[in-house]
Amino acid sequence: MEPGWRWELSAVHHLRLRRHTQDDDTLSPALRLDTFKMAMHSPVPVAELLLRRLEASDGGLDSAELAAELGMEHQAVVGAVKSLQALGEVIEAELRSTKRWELTAEGEEIAREGSHEARVFRSIPPEGLAQSELMRLPSGKVGFSKAMSNKWIRVDKSAADGPRVFRVVDSMEDEVQRRLQLVQGGQAEKLGEKERSELRKRKLLAEVTLKTYWVSKGSAFSTSISKQETELSPEMISSGSWRDRPFKPYNFLAHGVLPDSGHLHPLLKVRSQFRQIFLEMGFTEMPTDNFIESSFWNFDALFQPQQHPARDQHDTFFLRDPAEALQLPMDYVQRVKRTHSQGGYGSQGYKYTWKLDEARKNLLRTHTTSASARALYRLAQKKPFTPVKYFSIDRVFRNETLDATHLAEFHQIEGVVADHGLTLGHLMGILREFFTKLGITQLRFKPAYNPYTEPSMEVFSYHQGLKKWVEVGNSGVFRPEMLLPMGLPENVSVIAWGLSLERPTMIKYGINNIRDLVGHKVNLQMVYDSPLCRLDAEPRPPPTQEAA
Amino acid sequence: MPTVSVKRDLLFQALGRTYTDEEFDELCFEFGLELDEITSEKEIISKEQGNVKAAGASDVVLYKIDVPANRYDLLCLEGLVRGLQVFKERIKAPVYKRVMPDGKIQKLIITEETAKIRPFAVAAVLRNIKFTKDRYDSFIELQEKLHQNICRKRALVAIGTHDLDTLSGPFTYTAKRPSDIKFKPLNKTKEYTACELMNIYKTDNHLKHYLHIIENKPLYPVIYDSNGVVLSMPPIINGDHSRITVNTRNIFIECTGTDFTKAKIVLDIIVTMFSEYCENQFTVEAAEVVFPNGKSYTFPELAYRKEMVRADLINKKVGIRETPENLAKLLTRMYLKSEVIGDGNQIEIEIPPTRADIIHACDIVEDAAIAYGYNNIQMTLPKTYTIANQFPLNKLTELLRYDMAAAGFTEALTFALCSQEDIADKLGLDISATKAVHISNPKTAEFQVARTTLLPGLLKTIAANRKMPLPLKLFEISDIVIKDSNTECIQYVGAKNYRHLCAVYYNKNPGFEIIHGLLDRIMQLLDVPPGEDKGGYVIKASEGPAFFPGRCAEIFARGQSVGKLGVLHPDVITKFELTMPCSSLEINIGPFL
């Protein structure tokens, strides 16, 4: 598992759930006691009876025995034990499990009315009974064969009106009934192993495990629990009665009740922090409120040739309506055209036929660098030149193949500095300050290629969690072929860098699928639970197995 | 960024030493390359087609190296090795020479029919070359890499390489009706007409991507030798007759295209890379190309250009203080032979034919910086003093976002692109009434239009979160796009963004009073008092297809309509796959700046 903390939704759900159950079990013991009182319709609550008995007892008492003595369900006594336990140290209860023999329903019937064979025997008068009539008796079938094998009765098959049953002995001992009554009287141990197992086979007896509590006095034992208060009330404060009242203890392990509130989206919280960082560094925000852009500003102005693969239908969303930009600054367009097709400003150019139609094509901007180009062009029109620091964070669009880390739209962060005599060392220096504010201090720069910057450098940072260098941004010095046609002075350099908003956010929060962060399919629980965005703070350690 | 795949051991053999993966990765990083992946043919096949298919494949270790898109000279093993060896000062950059043949020069005559389809052609000969299997594979692979990159999938340039010994010049580059072109193409056993071939290749996974370049043209480009043998039908396929093999000794190379500059660069790259294996190393035999206007040119150009850059300019741009001599040395390591001349501050740099990417002094500055080592440059902060300003619309947005959350609403982040259905049909509107901008090349319906309202995104967010406890209270402050032909607007693109604020309340009851209360709160925050007076706000009964009849009002503020609020129509709720009543509010916040 990747370190760095993640949105542990399952863990949070789990805790939430547990909090509710704790609420029910332990937070409101008074409520539970009241429930019992009502349920039992008893003038004296069970819990109180239990405490009184306990006070009188010598050392302790058994919940089952108490139930038997009070003539109530054992479960009612167990409930009372649990609710008293919740009060703290009033009582101590030790769970014990004992095995016991109990009569089945049939066993109880026999203990009461005698065994089937005894009932058959008794139903036969001295003059005998027709066998057919006997078989119709409730105990007839089972009782007949048992009485026969006990040799209590006989059958006369030669009788005139069919077989007839007669007593053989005058009296008999109903051993089965006697044994069952012994068990009923709690004297099962008086029966032999063999006798019990025979009764069990006849499904008259069953062995049950009984969970009982051995209850003894706790360190805070008192018989007057009903006087414990749950909460402080205004009356108690005004009367001062709080001084004399015992209060029920709180369960500090339970969770609190979260306040009702709205929440900001985590990615936009990160966006706010990036804005903040730029503002702290003295960067002015550029207008980027134009998703639709002409190819001219998106590509041509940046000295990106018209055959560049990025201008392919496969990479860029072009517009059907409005298909073309209405107006372009034609003087400037001419300079751009010349620079592309013939060179100039010290450049060889790309030496191809530049087409105005291609530049007019509208598209969804593929980067906010188009907005930077517009801003720099506006800057170039102002004389004399004044140094600037610009930034922007806004949406850009790519007609790309979508996967776990790529969507058709994402946010680009861009920083631009224009001044006399800026160097590559300045670019690196400002990148170091910028990334330090993000909590990223280990930086490395790799030569790279961008069509509109030269020199260009990719920015890598060492990711402690992934244990490798990851690309965190792209940067460079804008090409003279881009700046000079705009009319910027020759000795002015413009350094710039860009990165996506989503990628650092995903790395920081360990999100693997961008759809878990952006778009309508995002889980709102993730939004509700997301922490403050503090980019320079150490991420929380990943939750351990037990915590999850 | 193109990726070149080379055999590791072959690479190390050519570099004259071995590296650990980490060492080689480091070397790449320093030079501006990226060791993207370490793999083998077996691994690749097993990943793509499963272990069974990979069973017999080679497990020779392959390095996949990402090369900057403008460095065509690094697209094959030969170029990579040469670049790295020069960089590490183990060899001097070779000098590439064009030589005239002992006998007659090979001639390629372009006829005027090509003008409308593919007007340019260049050619050269590699004489007495010695291939091995690996060299031959690299030769084929380089052509493929060039085709995919600088040649823009053969649209700008297409390369044909032929066994010269099977042909007899002069060659003719012309264009003919497809039915009049008939030849046996590469890897086929019989002759086909061009029409037949275009049909056959429709199902060819490799070639079908290039057919569109000439498909609907009346004439197709074709090159013949003096005996009428077809060399190639660019940019689709070569003839089988002149196919090259490992044993080919003399290669005729032709590049045809629509971009003359790129055709010349491509030819230069191929011959500079593979003349290494010619008997006279790094020499290339010239070929003559006669254009329709009768003018004749000799190729390859193999032009060396001299540039002059002042040492202090390089130092100033990079932020270092190196002597001119040192800078010249650094540049020489980047394959740019340089020396200090004149007043001792001038550096003369020779740009070889392999470095077509050097078009400006800034490209030279970058190479000096790379050779110096980006990570050795002293970092400094610019002294640029500026006062920061926020973009007013974003400033207002940020302030409002926090107070919307404080009002109990949760922020959503939804897509700016969506389907026509989302903004029209589902809201009971006709698409023409939305004034939406339409995308011409969406891959799926999700990207047909830019949204004209934030409401669909919020409703879709609710639909994806129906299991969440009610009520759901969501908001978003973001841009929508509307067509706008007003040329006064600064963008002049025919469309304009508007910053909208949208909020929805979703519960067992419609909660109009809650959304209404939110509006009151927003107006309070914007310091807009209730009332119809100038500067105040008021809501007036209105209607709209998205709203339940009688439950919709238009919002007027500061003298203009800024949006609507109301209870959504049950049809809208159903179409967004929702089941509960829902009320919404959407306003344009631009007027409150």
Side-chain angles (χ1 to χ4, degrees), chain A residues 329-392:
Chain A
M330 288 315 287
D331 280 2
Y332 172 46
V333 168
Q334 285 309 318
R335 292 196 294 275
V336 168
K337 172 183 178 173
R338 204 168 49 238
T339 315
H340 278 244
S341 55
Q342 299 162 31
Y345 308 103
S347 175
Q348 302 282 312
Y350 292 123
K351 296 176 180 152
Y352 70 100
T353 314
W354 187 91
K355 292 184 182 124
L356 181 62
D357 288 350
E358 196 61 40
R360 278 196 192 281
K361 283 185 184 169
N362 275 337
L363 43 77
L364 280 151
R365 65 169 175 226
T366 62
H367 45 200
T368 47
T369 316
S370 58
S372 304
R374 281 180 183 271
L376 289 170
Y377 176 72
R378 277 194 302 274
L379 177 71
Q381 309 318 302
K382 277 191 245 158
K383 311 280 177 189
F385 169 82
T386 40
V388 295
K389 296 203 289 244
Y390 286 151
F391 83 95
S392 68

Side-chain angles (χ1 to χ4, degrees), chain B residues 125-129 162-165 248-252:
Chain B
V125 175
L126 285 176
R127 190 65 77 176
N128 294 319
I129 199 164
H162 311 278
D163 186 340
L164 183 58
D165 298 333
T248 300
R249 295 302 311 271
N250 299 300
I251 303 175
F252 180 69

Side-chain angles (χ1 to χ4, degrees), chain A residues 261-265 267-269 271-272 275 279 282-287 289-294 303 307-309 312-314 316-322 324-327 345-352 362 364 374 387-389 395 397 399-402 407-409 411 417-419 422-426 428-430 432-433 444-449 454-458 460 479-481 493 517-525 527-528, chain B residues 1 26 29-34 68-70 152 156 259 261-262 305 307 316-319 358-363 365-366 369-370 374-375 377-391 393-395 397-398 401-402 405 408-417 420 436-443 447 451 457 460-461 464-465 467-468 472 474-476 478-479 481 483-487 490-495 497 499:
Chain A
S261 77
H263 308 267
L264 293 174
H265 191 280
L267 186 75
L268 298 180
K269 288 201 262 197
R271 184 182 70 177
S272 296
R275 279 185 93 242
L279 293 170
F283 283 65
T284 285
E285 195 170 25
M286 291 183 273
D289 57 335
N290 58 317
F291 294 165
I292 311 300
E293 189 53 278
S294 59
F303 196 54
Q307 319 88 340
H308 193 276
D312 203 285
Q313 296 273 329
H314 297 293
T316 300
F317 287 115
F318 287 94
L319 290 200
R320 191 183 78 215
D321 182 24
E324 291 198 329
L326 304 170
Q327 209 177 318
Y345 308 103
S347 175
Q348 302 282 312
Y350 292 123
K351 296 176 180 152
Y352 70 100
N362 275 337
L364 280 151
R374 281 180 183 271
V388 295
K389 296 203 289 244
R395 291 177 198 242
F397 306 86
N399 196 8
E400 285 184 318
T401 309
L402 312 181
L407 288 172
E409 54 189 273
H411 291 76
V417 184
D419 201 353
L422 292 177
T423 68
L424 211 51
H426 285 138
M428 292 162 65
I430 211 157
R432 183 183 56 190
E433 296 305 318
R444 210 157 68 126
F445 301 90
K446 174 182 161 297
Y449 170 68
E454 189 84 9
S456 309
M457 41 173 64
E458 283 170 0
F460 282 71
R479 294 190 72 99
E481 292 100 321
S493 296
L517 181 67
V518 185
H520 58 265
K521 288 187 180 146
V522 160
N523 184 345
L524 284 175
Q525 192 66 51
V527 178
Y528 293 167
Chain B
M1 207 188 279
E26 193 60 37
F29 194 94
E30 210 186 331
F31 192 56
L33 303 169
E34 211 172 322
N70 62 342
R152 296 288 294 118
L156 303 182
D259 186 318
T261 311
K262 291 210 160 63
R305 183 175 98 236
E307 292 280 358
K316 246 172 65 187
K317 293 281 179 193
V318 181
I358 305 280
I359 57 174
H360 192 279
C362 67
D363 299 304
V365 170
E366 178 181 77
I370 293 172
Y374 277 5
N375 297 293
I377 299 169
Q378 179 76 38
M379 299 189 206
T380 47
L381 275 180
K383 297 203 163 49
T384 315
Y385 183 83
T386 52
I387 304 284
N389 285 305
Q390 302 186 48
F391 181 53
L393 190 59
N394 291 356
K395 185 176 182 178
T397 302
E398 285 290 283
R401 285 176 59 234
Y402 283 92
F409 281 70
T410 290
E411 187 172 37
L413 173 58
T414 67
F415 297 125
L417 304 184
Q420 290 189 17
V437 302
H438 291 259
I439 293 165
S440 63
N441 56 332
K443 279 178 188 149
F447 312 118
R451 64 184 172 197
K460 288 199 279 187
T461 306
N465 282 279
K467 60 183 190 308
M468 295 298 291
L472 285 173
L474 298 182
F475 82 96
E476 182 168 17
S478 189
D479 284 0
V481 185
K483 260 198 308 186
D484 184 339
S485 52
N486 181 5
T487 49
I490 58 146
Q491 282 100 25
Y492 305 127
V493 291
N497 280 26
R499 182 70 44 91

Side-chain angles (χ1 to χ4, degrees), chain B residues 419-435:
Chain B
S419 66
Q420 290 189 17
E421 203 191 4
D422 283 343
I423 54 163
D425 312 24
K426 286 184 181 174
L427 296 178
L429 278 171
D430 189 82
I431 187 69
S432 60
T434 61
K435 287 168 78 183

Side-chain angles (χ1 to χ4, degrees), chain B residues 70-74 82 94 96 265 268-269 272-273 302-304 335 351-358:
Chain B
N70 62 342
R71 291 297 299 269
Y72 317 118
D73 60 318
L74 302 177
R82 235 174 277 166
Y96 307 104
I265 293 173
D268 277 353
I269 293 291
T272 51
M273 292 300 114
L302 292 184
Y304 281 80
Y335 221 106
I351 318 291
T354 46
R355 292 300 305 274
D357 59 298
I358 305 280

